[in-house]
């Protein structure tokens, strides 16, 4: 039952790996979000719909009726898991976990119009409720990312590497 | 921007709703798990492979190399989100969030052999690693469930209602 030290678990990140990650993210219109319950700190897993900005920041449109929204208003720490499962072992399929800080985008924010247009381009059905009072846009600013490309193929990147603000 | 009080959000649970929930769960071989980082309490979202016991308790086989395993050993509170996304708005598709308490099943546990057989029946590819030292079975004992059947169709159930230990 020997276990490798944690630092040995991750493969070297290359430009190709970064491209794989970005392709994986932009192919997805939804993800699983982990947040903390404002009542008792219990971890919560919920579905959110997604779009990605040109610099690869996940954006969602969230309802106050969903458990993640008051959770993010209370504590902006969250993790987003993205990736599809196909045939065979569910763990053999690629997924990324992005640890994020949630930043709500108010209607007065200069970024609001761009984010609204980007989001509706990727989630056209959201036109039905985007302007209702209990919906808000939230950007999930990436802190770090674990890309899991199947057994034994794990990579770790910083949020700045994902967005292109830092080299790999 | 008026908002309905929380108690009005949920529809009445019937036997049919319970059956819908059980069908949704058993159709799935994987889910998204929210756990708490042992280092800093950050919420984490990861993929796990799943099987369900005859009384509808989710069971997974987890590796010490995955971030959820040390997290659950440190704090057994977790939430499991289960459900597939199809065409159109990702939020229009059914999903359930189960808040759970994780219970590790040791090799000496009288339930071990049954759980191993059940799991391998549903996840045959796991035969390749089920007996490796860093893998453990964990049962996710359900505390409560929020079933989301699409916009405006939310239900709340107790874990005992899911398992059949309590009436609806």
């Amino acid at each position: 039952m020997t276990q490798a030290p944690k630092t040995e678990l991750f493969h070297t990140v290359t430009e190709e790996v970064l491209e794989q990650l970005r392709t994986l993210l932009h192919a997805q219109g939804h993800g699983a979000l982990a947040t903390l319950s404002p009542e008792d700190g219990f971890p919560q897993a919920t579905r959110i719909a997604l779009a990605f900005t040109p610099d690869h920041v996940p954006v969602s449109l969230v309802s106050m009726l969903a458990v993640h929204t008051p959770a993010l208003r209370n504590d902006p720490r969250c993790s987003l898991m993205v990736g599809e499962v196909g045939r065979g072992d569910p763990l053999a399929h690629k997924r990324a976990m992005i640890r994020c800080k949630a930043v709500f985008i108010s209607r007065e924010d200069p970024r609001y119009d761009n984010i609204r247009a980007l989001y509706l381009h990727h989630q056209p059905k959201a036109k039905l409720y985007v302007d209702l009072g209990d919906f808000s846009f939230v950007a999930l600013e990436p802190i770090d990312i674990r890309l899991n490309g199947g057994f034994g193929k794990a990579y770790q990147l910083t949020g700045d590497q994902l967005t292109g603000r830092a080299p790999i």
Side-chain angles (χ1 to χ4, degrees), chain A:
Chain A
M1 270 209 220
T2 55
Q3 271 149 36
K6 215 170 173 183
T7 48
E8 284 184 24
L9 287 179
F10 296 106
H11 290 244
T12 308
V13 174
T14 60
E15 286 290 346
E16 197 188 4
V17 170
L18 181 61
E19 204 44 48
Q20 253 186 53
L21 169 64
R22 289 173 175 171
T23 303
L24 171 75
L25 298 180
H26 286 267
Q28 298 298 317
H30 61 95
L33 190 71
T35 53
L36 300 173
S37 162
E39 283 86 31
D40 54 10
F42 212 101
Q44 310 178 138
T46 51
R47 175 168 298 148
I48 57 171
L50 289 173
F52 287 85
T53 67
D55 56 347
H56 320 293
V57 174
V59 173
S60 191
L61 175 66
V62 292
S63 161
M64 274 310 287
L65 301 184
V67 298
H68 42 250
T69 309
L72 293 175
R73 294 253 183 221
N74 179 66
D75 187 333
R77 296 180 297 165
C78 59
S79 287
L80 177 66
M81 200 259 291
V82 165
E84 279 305 317
V85 171
R87 291 165 69 90
D89 194 320
L91 302 182
H93 299 273
K94 276 187 208 162
R95 66 274 188 193
M97 179 177 93
I98 315 179
R99 295 202 307 166
C100 308
K101 185 188 166 211
V103 178
F104 282 88
I105 310 290
S106 74
R107 276 154 218 246
E108 295 72 40
D109 193 300
R111 294 166 294 180
Y112 185 84
D113 289 345
N114 273 346
I115 284 178
R116 185 181 182 283
L118 171 96
Y119 192 83
L120 291 180
H121 179 73
H122 287 96
Q123 300 285 356
K125 303 268 186 193
K127 276 177 196 142
L128 295 169
Y129 49 88
V130 62
D131 296 319
L132 299 184
D134 65 327
F135 280 86
S136 316
F137 281 108
V138 62
L140 304 176
E141 295 289 347
I143 299 167
D144 53 33
I145 300 100
R146 180 185 281 231
L147 173 66
N148 196 318
F151 292 105
K153 282 187 254 165
Y155 304 90
Q156 208 161 32
L157 296 90
T158 66
D160 284 349
Q161 288 174 325
L162 172 61
T163 58
R165 285 170 214 146
I168 56 171

